[in-house]
Amino acid sequence: MATFSSARVLNYERVPIDAQDLVTSARIVIAGDLSDKSAGINTVVEPPFPEPHASLDHPYYPAPIVRAYDHALHATYAAERSFKLPSGVDPFLPRSAFTSEALAASVEFSGPRSALTDGNPTTFMHANTSIVDNPQLAWRAGSGREVVGCRLTYALKMTDGSLPFRVRVFAGTYFVQFGSPPVFYTITQEAELILDPSEEPREVIFVAPAASQDARQTMDPSWTAMRLMATGVGWEYFRVFDFWPLVINEPLVQDIARAQIRLPASNPRRVTVRGLLPPADRQHTITGWPGGTYTGRVARQTFRDGNTIIDFEQPGAPPGVPAELLEAERVRINRTREAIQTATYPLIVGAHRR
Amino acid sequence: MAWELTIWNPTGDSPRVFTDATTPNPLKAKPEIIVDAGGRTNSISLRVRNDILQAGPRDIIRWREWAIEPMTYQGQRLTFNGERLHFRVWDVRVGAGVIVSSPPITSPGSGPADRDADALDRISAVGLEHLLTERIVRTGPTIALDVATIAYNLCRDYAHPAIIVNQSNFPPTGYQLGVFYTPEKTLEAALNDLIATLPSGGRYHINADRGITFRGSP
C-alpha cells in the first residue's frame, strides 16, 4: 500500500458507477454440468424406483446439487447467477475425513476395514463368492454431513462376461438393528451402477442427485449414510480397495461462491498522481485530501508519461475513451457470450449408464 | 411536448415521478431512447442532476411523453379558473429500462469545463430484458402443458421482482410440450428455449409498464 500527499495529485475526476455485471447471489453447481470432466464428476446413474413402479413410467430428472451464497444486498438487487465448479477443484471432503471406525457394518465382506480408506492399492476388502446374501458395505458419514455419492475403487473378475454386475448404492438416513445378521432400515434415494469388469483397480466416482420430481426429494435431503450392495452373479471375485462417501466440503464451496459476488462500487473515482506507484499495490492512502485522509481500494492503474492514473473501487473507461463506447463493447461481449452459452450448453443433467 | 420520468427502486417499489413541471428539474437535456422493433427497449441515455434525481445503480426508469394541444370551442381557447385547458395527445410510454451506469447520487451534474461529464451527469439504462439474465430457473420437469403456460409458470416463480407477470400476457400458443426441463439455466435462456419449440416461432419482451409478454407467432 502506498501513502502519498495530495500535493502529488494532478487531477481528480469521478467515474460512473458501473452496475452492468451484478451478482448478489452465487449458485455453485456441484453436479449438473457434465461437460467439465476435470471435476471428476462424470457419472450420474438413473435410480431404479421401487416396485411396482417401472422406470419407463417414471423417468429420472435429477435435481442438480447446488450450494448458494446470498449477499446481504440480494434482497435489494435480486441478481443471481449459476456457476460451474472451477476446473480442478475437488468439492468433497478428503479421505482423511473418514475413518474406518465410521463404517457401520459389513455383510459377507472379508478383510480389514481400514483398507477402505488407507489409500493403499494392495489392501482391500473382498466379497465372498460362496454366499447366499448380497454382500454389503455401509458407511455412516456423521451428523451434519450430507452424503451425495461415493468413491469406489474396485477390481472385478467375471466368470460369465455376458451378465451385468450391478451395485446398488443407497443414500439416506440410516438405522441399523444389530444382530446376526444385522438388519438395515433406510429412508433412501437409491441409485444403481453397473460396474465393468476390471482385474486392475479401477476408480469410479459417482454422484446421485435426488429426482427433482420425486416427493422423496423434499422429504429429507439430509442423507447421512451410504450403503453399497452387490447384486451381480457370475463373478469370480469382487474386491473393494477404496470406498467412502462423498460429502460436500461446505466451507470450501461457500468460499468459492462468495468469491463470485459482484457489487456496484459506491463512489468510484479516478486520481492522476505525479510519478509511478507500485503496480502490485491493492490500496493507496492520500493524505491531506479534502474531507480527511482518503484510503481507497485500487481497481486499476494506468501508467502514462511518468504519471499514474489510479481507478479507485472500479475500473473506468481507458483514459480518453468515452464511457459509452466501453458500455457498448460490454453489451456486445455479453451478447456474444450468451449466444455461445446457448449454443453449447449440454443439457445432460444425468448422463445415463446402463 | 410534455414528459414524465418515473423511477422505481431496484425491486420495482417506491415510485418517484418527475415531469417537465418539476422544480428544480433534474433533467439537463432530453433523453435518447432506442427501442427495437416490437417494443423492446434497447437503451436509454439521460443527462441529469443526480443530486436531485437520486437515481442509484439498478433503479428502474420509464420515460413517457405526450404532446399538448389547446382545447378550443368554436375557435376560442377554453379556460377553467383562469387556467388554459389542453388535450393530451400522442401519450406514449416510450420505454423502460434498468440503470447500468450512473453518477453518484451526490453529483450536481457537469459544467462546460468538466472533462468527466459522463461520470457527473450521464445515466445509461438497458432494456428490462437484462434482468432475465440474472434469474436462475430451478424447477423440476414440466410435463404436458401449453408452451405459454410453461413460460408463465417460470416467470411467475423466477422473474425479477421488478418485472410484472400477468397471465393475460401469456395467451395460449396451442402447442404443448411433452417435457420441459432446464435446471440452473437463466430465465432468459429458458424462455428462448421455449420460443425455439414453437413451430412458427414467437417472441417475448418487457413493455414500458414492466410487464412481460410472451406470444407465439400465428
Side-chain angles (χ1 to χ4, degrees):
Chain A
M1 180 180 80
T3 302
F4 52 88
S5 164
S6 61
R8 285 179 65 180
V9 174
L10 298 174
N11 186 43
Y12 160 79
E13 55 188 291
R14 294 180 190 273
V15 176
I17 298 174
D18 184 359
Q20 290 190 81
D21 292 325
L22 212 59
V23 180
T24 54
S25 173
R27 300 172 60 80
I28 305 296
V29 180
I30 306 296
D33 181 358
L34 298 182
S35 64
D36 185 6
K37 304 297 184 186
S38 63
I41 305 168
N42 54 16
T43 304
V44 174
V45 298
E46 181 168 331
F49 282 72
E51 295 296 334
H53 302 286
S55 295
L56 286 177
D57 292 336
H58 295 271
Y60 173 48
Y61 294 103
I65 297 172
V66 175
R67 291 295 185 269
Y69 171 79
D70 290 353
H71 191 273
L73 289 177
H74 185 57
T76 301
Y77 295 115
E80 53 191 20
R81 194 177 294 181
S82 197
F83 298 89
K84 277 191 330 183
L85 205 61
S87 175
V89 171
D90 184 351
F92 304 113
L93 293 177
R95 69 171 75 229
S96 58
F98 304 97
T99 63
S100 57
E101 286 72 24
L103 180 62
S106 66
V107 175
E108 302 296 349
F109 266 95
S110 302
R113 292 183 183 182
S114 60
L116 299 180
T117 55
D118 63 6
N120 189 334
T122 63
T123 60
F124 52 86
M125 295 187 80
H126 62 94
N128 299 320
T129 56
S130 57
I131 58 171
V132 176
D133 296 322
N134 297 324
Q136 302 182 50
L137 294 171
W139 268 107
R140 173 169 283 157
S143 62
R145 289 179 166 181
E146 180 181 344
V147 175
V148 298
C150 78
R151 286 180 197 260
L152 171 68
T153 305
Y154 71 95
L156 171 66
K157 185 173 182 181
M158 302 294 289
T159 54
D160 184 344
S162 66
L163 297 176
F165 186 86
R166 297 176 187 271
V167 171
R168 301 184 80 179
V169 181
F170 302 82
T173 54
Y174 181 81
F175 168 73
V176 175
Q177 177 181 321
F178 291 96
S180 180
V183 179
F184 300 87
Y185 298 89
T186 54
I187 304 171
T188 63
Q189 171 76 26
E190 352 179 319
E192 186 174 89
L193 184 65
I194 295 177
L195 300 183
D196 294 327
S198 171
E199 296 185 27
E200 295 298 319
R202 183 166 182 262
E203 185 183 39
V204 173
I205 302 168
F206 87 95
V207 179
S212 59
Q213 77 276 33
D214 193 336
R216 291 176 293 175
Q217 191 246 343
T218 58
M219 187 169 66
D220 183 0
S222 301
W223 302 323
T224 57
M226 176 70 70
R227 178 159 67 102
L228 177 148
M229 182 170 75
T231 61
V233 295
W235 44 284
E236 183 174 325
Y237 62 75
F238 176 50
R239 298 171 183 161
V240 178
F241 298 85
D242 282 328
F243 174 61
W244 77 91
L246 292 179
V247 176
I248 293 173
N249 188 341
E250 302 287 353
L252 171 66
V253 177
Q254 281 288 301
D255 283 346
I256 293 172
R258 191 179 297 115
Q260 313 304 321
I261 298 296
R262 298 283 182 269
L263 301 174
S266 57
N267 195 8
R269 59 192 75 186
R270 170 172 286 175
V271 177
T272 304
V273 173
R274 186 175 58 251
L276 303 181
L277 296 175
D281 281 359
R282 290 179 173 270
Q283 194 169 292
H284 292 317
T285 298
I286 307 175
T287 60
W289 191 258
T293 298
Y294 171 74
T295 299
R297 181 178 58 84
V298 175
R300 178 188 291 161
Q301 293 186 125
T302 304
F303 298 92
R304 175 190 281 182
D305 299 331
N307 298 324
T308 307
I309 303 170
I310 311 163
D311 289 349
F312 285 107
E313 293 194 31
Q314 160 200 301
V321 175
E324 56 192 347
L325 286 184
L326 201 63
E327 286 174 18
E329 178 67 9
R330 284 202 195 111
V331 169
R332 189 189 66 80
I333 290 172
N334 283 338
R335 285 196 179 138
T336 304
R337 185 187 304 137
E338 287 159 14
I340 294 172
Q341 192 173 16
T342 303
T344 61
Y345 182 90
L347 194 64
I348 319 175
V349 182
H352 305 303
R353 277 188 68 194
R354 280 242 177 251
Chain B
M1 298 287 278
W3 55 266
E4 177 185 280
L5 176 66
T6 308
I7 298 182
W8 293 269
N9 68 11
T11 53
D13 301 319
S14 307
R16 291 174 291 123
V17 179
F18 300 86
T19 70
D20 53 308
T22 301
T23 306
N25 202 285
L27 236 62
K28 298 183 63 180
K30 280 290 183 67
E32 181 181 274
I33 303 172
I34 301 173
V35 178
D36 293 336
R40 182 181 284 199
T41 302
N42 185 303
S43 66
I44 300 175
S45 181
L46 300 167
R47 295 278 177 183
V48 302
R49 279 191 59 180
N50 212 22
D51 56 338
I52 299 173
L53 194 64
Q54 299 278 296
R58 287 308 178 95
D59 281 355
I60 311 294
I61 58 173
R62 180 185 67 199
W63 182 262
R64 180 182 176 193
E65 202 163 332
W66 59 89
I68 296 176
E69 289 189 2
M71 190 181 292
T72 61
Y73 178 71
Q74 293 184 340
Q76 299 296 316
R77 294 286 298 270
L78 296 179
T79 62
F80 180 76
N81 284 348
E83 298 285 338
R84 288 185 173 179
L85 300 177
H86 298 88
F87 284 110
R88 181 183 289 192
V89 296
W90 299 113
D91 188 346
V92 179
R93 289 174 171 81
V94 180
V98 54
I99 294 175
V100 293
S101 176
S102 60
I105 59 174
T106 55
S107 174
S110 67
D114 287 314
R115 291 180 299 169
D116 52 349
D118 268 355
L120 290 173
D121 56 28
R122 183 164 165 266
I123 285 179
S124 297
V126 296
L128 293 176
E129 289 79 11
H130 181 78
L131 298 176
L132 300 176
T133 66
E134 296 176 344
R135 302 296 292 177
I136 302 298
V137 171
R138 325 198 221 299
T139 188
T142 304
I143 298 174
L145 288 177
D146 188 279
V147 173
T149 304
I150 298 174
Y152 167 71
N153 290 343
L154 291 178
C155 292
R156 178 197 62 200
D157 295 338
Y158 301 110
H160 193 278
I163 298 173
I164 297 171
V165 181
N166 192 320
Q167 192 162 17
S168 62
N169 289 330
F170 294 77
T173 62
Y175 296 101
Q176 279 204 345
L177 271 184
V179 178
F180 186 72
Y181 175 58
T182 55
E184 298 301 316
K185 266 193 167 180
T186 64
L187 182 55
E188 183 198 44
L191 292 176
N192 286 337
D193 285 351
L194 286 173
I195 293 290
T197 65
L198 294 172
S200 301
R203 70 184 303 273
Y204 64 90
H205 79 286
I206 301 175
N207 59 31
D209 290 323
R210 300 186 290 134
I212 183 168
T213 65
F214 183 97
R215 280 178 170 74
S217 296

